[in-house]
Amino acid sequence: MKKLRAVSLFSNCGAGDVGYRKAGFEFEVMAELDPRRLEVCLLNHEGAEGVAGDLRATWPAVIKKYRSRAGKIRPALLCACPPCQGMSSARSGKGSHDDPEAGSKDERNLLVTIVAKVALELQPGILVVENVPAFFSRKVHHPEDKEPVSAANYLISTLAENYVAFPIITDLCDFGIPQSRNRAFLT
């Protein structure tokens, strides 16, 4: 069987990527802000190379490391779980979900711009972004035209020429997680 190459952005300790590995994907590059979390991540995904630091600055290093390992071969999977603190219902004081001014106060709410840049460069066969349900609805200012947009809709419109979007909100307890945990997936 052909090697299913994968890249992970906002990898944390790599726990969220274990299921992909069990499904046959092999991570070439994993990127995480915190070097200590990345160290654990790489222990969980032997053979992967890490990129530590803020992806707004380090995303070109992700591309370079992937290309040095795989050449021009497109990854089968690009997965990402950008920070959700600015959208999470567990955090009070965020303002209305329809208010792009309030949504734009937390710059992490549009870190999907990095996911889009990496996807446009690497052209993965599949892109999966996981986040909180508000990922689909929380309004922020579009980075170019400043119009209200959700992070999910920004990503969908940016990649529309190359990808078809399949959004879903699901409770992870239906998949064996021992707690109710609603998550948004954009595939």
Side-chain angles (χ1 to χ4, degrees), residues 2 10 15 33-34 37 51 77 81 90 93 110 144 158 164 187:
K2 186 173 107 175
F10 308 100
L33 175 66
D34 185 314
R37 287 192 299 254
V51 175
L77 170 69
C81 189
L110 261 179
E144 292 155 17
T158 302
V164 175
T187 303

Side-chain angles (χ1 to χ4, degrees), residues 5 7 63 66-67 72-78 115-127 158-159 161-163:
R5 297 174 185 272
V7 174
I63 305 296
Y66 179 80
R67 294 268 187 244
K72 294 185 185 246
I73 298 170
R74 294 169 42 190
L77 170 69
L78 171 62
V115 178
K117 288 176 184 181
V118 174
L120 289 169
E121 286 285 328
L122 293 180
Q123 293 292 303
I126 300 169
L127 169 62
T158 302
L159 301 177
E161 286 187 33
N162 302 310
Y163 295 93

